[in-house]
Amino acid sequence: MKTSLILAGIIGLSLTVSCVSKKKYTELESNLFRTQTELAVTNQEKAELEEKMSAIEARVAEYNSRINSLRETNDQLSEKNSGMLSIEGAAVMSKNSKTKMKETLTKVDPSLLAGAKTLEDSVNLAIGHNIRQNITDQGGDADDIQIDIDKTVVMISISDKLLFTTGSYRINSKAEPLLKKLAEVINAEPSLQVMIEGHTDSRTISTPALEDNWDLSVKRATSIVRMLQLKYQVAPEKMIAAGRSSYMPLVENDSKDNMALNRRTRIVLIPDLDMFFSML
């Protein structure tokens, strides 16, 4: 009897232990599943965060690259601007050009230099002096060459005696060195445009070859354009031939000397700013 009671107690205890272990196992198994699920979610979130971080790092690298590029550009502009100075608040010139201008101005007539009130006036004087020297070095006479500059437009008026005989549109051979030098200036700058204008005095002309002063002024312009194109390889699309007849005189046609002044060919050079300063 006593043995039976002991055996029954052992069996009951065993069942109780067995029952508790199974419940605990189920609970642990549930916790494991939940932990695995949370881990999977965490891993997914981690992967997403890493992907976002990579995108952010790539964007930061791109921004840094742009910033460095902008800094380089800014440094280049700063370096360039440090070598520039303002003219009349609009145009700019390099320090090198300014140095050349000062050197040239030492050779300019002091009476002309006295009339230069602004830096732009000084630049115009220097460029005008250089162009005049180049032309006269090619056989011209300084008294027969007038150079005017309006901003960056250079206007060179050449007496007809340097280019033509009276009443003719055939170019003198002595004018060829001068025209050759002009062709070199024109050919040196692709963006340069040039207009050739013929001007006469007020005396009428009528010959088998020339109908009137309009005809003479235009043919003088086309003769020069033709020589620049055919002999000195100036691109024809850069040139304009024009005739003004006697209707834009420099002075009254009331004397022999005045009429000689009005008989001229005007060469108008229209360069860009860099080419303008290169004339220094």
Side-chain angles (χ1 to χ4, degrees):
M1 182 68 178
K2 185 176 179 180
T3 303
S4 298
L5 289 172
I6 292 171
L7 183 60
I10 293 172
I11 292 172
L13 179 63
S14 176
L15 288 173
T16 301
V17 171
S18 175
C19 226
V20 170
S21 296
K22 186 174 181 181
K23 182 180 179 182
K24 187 68 175 178
Y25 176 80
T26 302
E27 182 182 348
L28 290 173
E29 189 176 47
S30 176
N31 289 341
L32 175 62
F33 177 76
R34 184 168 58 252
T35 301
Q36 288 176 334
T37 302
E38 289 174 354
L39 179 61
V41 170
T42 301
N43 287 336
Q44 178 65 30
E45 290 175 349
K46 178 186 175 185
E48 291 175 356
L49 288 173
E50 287 176 344
E51 184 178 352
K52 289 179 180 180
M53 182 60 70
S54 296
I56 290 171
E57 288 175 347
R59 189 174 299 178
V60 169
E62 181 184 357
Y63 287 159
N64 285 336
S65 177
R66 290 183 183 179
I67 289 170
N68 290 334
S69 177
L70 289 172
R71 281 175 178 166
E72 290 177 5
T73 302
N74 184 65
D75 291 342
Q76 291 170 359
L77 289 174
S78 296
E79 183 178 351
K80 182 178 179 181
N81 289 336
S82 67
M84 310 295 279
L85 59 93
S86 174
I87 298 178
E88 299 300 315
V92 291
M93 65 183 296
S94 69
K95 289 182 179 179
N96 183 50
S97 292
K98 185 181 178 183
T99 300
K100 290 182 179 179
M101 180 193 71
K102 288 181 176 179
E103 292 173 356
T104 301
L105 290 177
T106 62
K107 306 169 188 176
V108 173
D109 186 339
S111 63
L112 295 175
L113 194 57
K117 304 300 182 184
T118 66
L119 185 56
E120 186 174 6
D121 292 339
S122 298
V123 172
N124 291 348
L125 273 178
I127 292 174
H129 175 83
N130 278 351
I131 294 174
R132 185 177 287 103
Q133 287 297 112
N134 287 335
I135 292 178
T136 54
D137 285 347
Q138 301 303 316
D141 186 341
D143 293 335
D144 293 316
I145 299 169
Q146 177 68 39
I147 298 176
D148 298 299
I149 300 174
D150 183 9
K151 300 190 184 297
T152 61
V153 178
V154 181
M155 292 161 282
I156 307 169
S157 292
I158 305 173
S159 170
D160 76 329
K161 72 179 183 181
L162 296 181
L163 300 174
F164 308 99
T165 56
T166 302
S168 172
Y169 57 88
R170 297 188 184 279
I171 298 174
N172 290 327
S173 58
K174 65 180 182 181
E176 293 188 18
L178 183 154
L179 294 178
K180 179 182 179 182
K181 188 65 180 180
L182 285 171
E184 290 174 359
V185 172
I186 296 168
N187 288 334
E189 176 54 46
S191 65
L192 186 67
Q193 296 291 312
V194 57
M195 181 166 64
I196 314 296
E197 291 182 349
H199 295 260
T200 71
D201 59 33
S202 60
R203 292 176 299 177
T204 58
I205 185 171
S206 181
T207 69
L210 295 167
E211 184 175 344
D212 53 22
N213 282 336
W214 280 112
D215 203 10
L216 176 59
S217 65
V218 171
K219 285 186 175 179
R220 283 184 168 179
T222 54
S223 292
I224 293 174
V225 166
R226 193 173 290 113
M227 176 171 282
L228 291 174
Q229 176 187 354
L230 300 179
K231 189 164 186 175
Y232 300 116
Q233 291 74 53
V234 176
E237 63 270 16
K238 298 174 68 170
M239 298 187 288
I240 303 168
R244 295 285 196 168
S245 186
S246 60
Y247 297 107
M248 289 190 68
L250 294 175
V251 292
E252 293 293 332
N253 286 289
D254 54 8
S255 70
K256 194 172 184 179
D257 289 341
N258 280 359
M259 284 190 285
L261 288 174
N262 290 329
R263 292 192 304 272
R264 68 200 188 278
T265 298
R266 190 168 79 149
I267 300 170
V268 182
L269 304 178
I270 310 172
D272 63 18
L273 195 59
D274 289 338
M275 177 60 181
F276 182 69
F277 286 135
S278 75
M279 293 178 180
L280 285 165

